Amino acid sequence: MSSAHSAVPTAGSVPSPSSTFSPVSSSAPSASAASSAGAAPTITELLEFVRRTARNEALIASLPLDPEGRTWIRLDGPGGSEAWLIGWPPGTGTGWHDHADSIGAFTTAAGALKEHSLAVRLPTDGWKTLELTDGVDRSRELATGQGRAFGQNHVHEVLNESEDVHAVSVHAYYPPLPRIRRFSRTGAVLRLEQTESPGDWQ
């Protein structure tokens, strides 16, 4: 990520140049040991990593919180994964997005987050609008200590719905995110708005 522009990481995600985002550090001490040498981390290992990291009270307390925008610290994830500690001011969210071919996990370390997701695999390319069928919407509350893992092409948005309490979360993705697609939604219609590459958030 670059401090040259504003950006917002998704929960289970990374920065978006369309929102306020305050980078704290591009490098932070590792919050865990890597997976065994040469082995790609599994979804289970990513979830274990974010849960373990979320219990590191000193690390969580080291993240400065800004009432005007998100803050982040990049972490050393297991097995070469991309990992982030993210602060969420009250009332903020990621917007709808996916993580391309990366698997991932995230856990709430402080406060509470809500995730809305779609139980559908979107086409990879070649479309601008898509009408969603009934029954694909899922929602879950993630209180402090609760998290989730997800597979490739997971479409979701994450929100801090509190009016006065910051949330903090830990995220990990493998392989490091090759791209993020961002969507807008009106009723049952999902529209592809932007595709970001690592150069947009590194």
Side-chain angles (χ1 to χ4, degrees):
M1 291 188 193
S2 168
S3 59
H5 60 77
S6 296
V8 172
T10 69
S13 59
V14 296
S16 160
S18 63
S19 306
T20 303
F21 187 79
S22 303
V24 174
S25 169
S26 61
S27 178
S30 174
S32 77
S35 298
S36 51
T42 64
I43 288 179
T44 299
E45 288 169 335
L46 293 180
L47 185 58
E48 290 173 349
F49 166 80
V50 296
R51 285 175 169 166
R52 181 171 59 250
T53 304
R55 294 192 296 268
N56 184 333
E57 294 181 2
L59 178 64
I60 302 309
S62 73
L63 178 66
L65 301 178
D66 182 348
E68 300 302 322
R70 297 181 204 203
T71 50
W72 57 264
I73 295 175
R74 184 149 190 177
L75 307 174
D76 294 328
S81 60
E82 179 176 342
W84 303 93
L85 176 66
I86 299 170
W88 305 68
T92 56
T94 62
W96 289 97
H97 65 279
D98 70 4
H99 313 95
D101 294 326
S102 295
I103 60 173
F106 69 100
T107 292
T108 304
L113 294 171
K114 174 173 271 188
E115 181 198 40
H116 300 297
S117 61
L118 299 178
V120 62
R121 186 182 180 95
L122 300 182
T124 54
D125 291 297
W127 65 279
K128 284 291 186 180
T129 60
L130 190 69
E131 187 165 353
L132 302 171
T133 59
D134 291 339
V136 299
D137 286 285
R138 304 287 184 270
S139 292
R140 68 180 70 198
E141 300 278 352
L142 297 168
T144 299
Q146 294 182 325
R148 68 154 307 170
F150 50 85
Q152 297 174 336
N153 303 294
H154 179 66
V155 182
H156 71 169
E157 66 172 350
V158 181
L159 311 165
N160 177 6
E161 295 185 325
S162 172
E163 296 182 357
D164 52 13
V165 178
H166 254 84
V168 177
S169 56
V170 183
H171 306 253
Y173 311 92
Y174 187 86
L177 294 168
R179 65 174 180 163
I180 290 177
R181 294 187 297 179
R182 297 196 178 271
F183 311 101
S184 63
R185 182 173 178 183
T186 304
V189 177
L190 195 69
R191 178 182 296 273
L192 176 63
E193 297 290 352
Q194 184 177 4
T195 300
E196 299 173 7
S197 63
D200 295 314
W201 63 76
Q202 297 289 353

